Amino acid sequence: MDFSGLFVWPNVRFILEGFLLTLEVSIYSIVFSFALGIVFGILRYTRLPVISQVAAFIIDLIRNLPLLLIIFFIGMVLPSIGFSISLKWAAITGLSIFEGAMIAEIVRSGLNSVHKGQVEAARSSGLSYFSTLWHIILPQALRRMVPPIVSQFISLFKDTSLAVIISLPELTHNIQIVSGQNQSFVIPALLFAAFLYFAVNYSMSLIARRLEVRTH
């Protein structure tokens, strides 16, 4: 193991560039997947004719596909048939779609966890169905959904490593490149990558715990 040989500035800078791209992809994917998850989770919960069934089909379809396959299809297959998309946005799109489907199920479960008596009381007081959903059900459900949603975001951050399949120069990709320079760099490089992944994920888990305490 050659720690001193690995941790020269050009190598460290290259690894950190991949780490920053990983963070960028994660942030965009978190925002978009959360928006998609909220929309599709609500659509599935409302049981609107046709619309809720279509939403349920899309969610189930995506949840039962490997994320690796989704990223590969968007990053490699679509460009080959004329749909041009950068590697970064291919990864963001794939992660957002997949994690959005996961979050949609969390949202649906959170909405279903609100006691039906509160819904009936709101409706009997004159609130419309959507006013009840917006003012009564959703605020309570969101508080209960915070811990599992943050846990899903932690999974999302780790899943960015799958973008290596489309050669996105994120953290895992750049670690592989640096490790390929010298066999003695492999273990130090992997330990460095593990530290960076752990630092971000552990920080998010601490946030999740704090939010969980506040919601109870």
Side-chain angles (χ1 to χ4, degrees), residues 78-153:
L78 289 184
S80 69
I81 58 176
F83 293 92
S84 180
I85 185 171
S86 69
L87 295 179
K88 181 180 78 173
W89 282 102
I92 291 171
T93 303
L95 285 164
S96 298
I97 291 172
F98 183 81
E99 301 297 342
M102 297 299 183
I103 291 173
E105 280 299 288
I106 295 174
V107 171
R108 184 179 68 86
S109 298
L111 293 172
N112 282 327
S113 70
V114 178
H115 196 276
K116 299 298 182 184
Q118 297 189 44
V119 178
E120 294 170 359
R123 293 301 304 279
S124 64
S125 66
L127 288 177
S128 67
Y129 178 80
F130 288 102
S131 292
T132 301
L133 177 63
W134 183 256
H135 295 290
I136 305 298
I137 303 174
L138 194 56
Q140 295 184 65
L142 281 174
R143 289 195 293 270
R144 300 173 185 179
M145 288 186 280
V146 167
I149 286 178
V150 174
S151 296
Q152 195 63 45
F153 290 158

Side-chain angles (χ1 to χ4, degrees), residues 43-113:
L43 288 177
R44 187 166 185 181
Y45 170 80
T46 56
R47 297 185 178 88
L48 293 171
V50 181
I51 295 177
S52 61
Q53 295 173 351
V54 171
F57 173 77
I58 293 172
I59 292 169
D60 290 339
L61 175 64
I62 294 171
R63 289 177 68 240
N64 287 285
L65 291 175
L67 175 56
L68 192 67
L69 179 64
I70 295 174
I71 293 175
F72 182 80
F73 180 82
I74 295 172
M76 294 297 181
V77 177
L78 289 184
S80 69
I81 58 176
F83 293 92
S84 180
I85 185 171
S86 69
L87 295 179
K88 181 180 78 173
W89 282 102
I92 291 171
T93 303
L95 285 164
S96 298
I97 291 172
F98 183 81
E99 301 297 342
M102 297 299 183
I103 291 173
E105 280 299 288
I106 295 174
V107 171
R108 184 179 68 86
S109 298
L111 293 172
N112 282 327
S113 70

Side-chain angles (χ1 to χ4, degrees), residues 6-17 192:
L6 171 68
F7 291 109
V8 295
W9 176 240
N11 287 343
V12 173
R13 181 178 64 187
F14 186 65
I15 292 172
L16 291 179
E17 286 173 355
F192 188 38

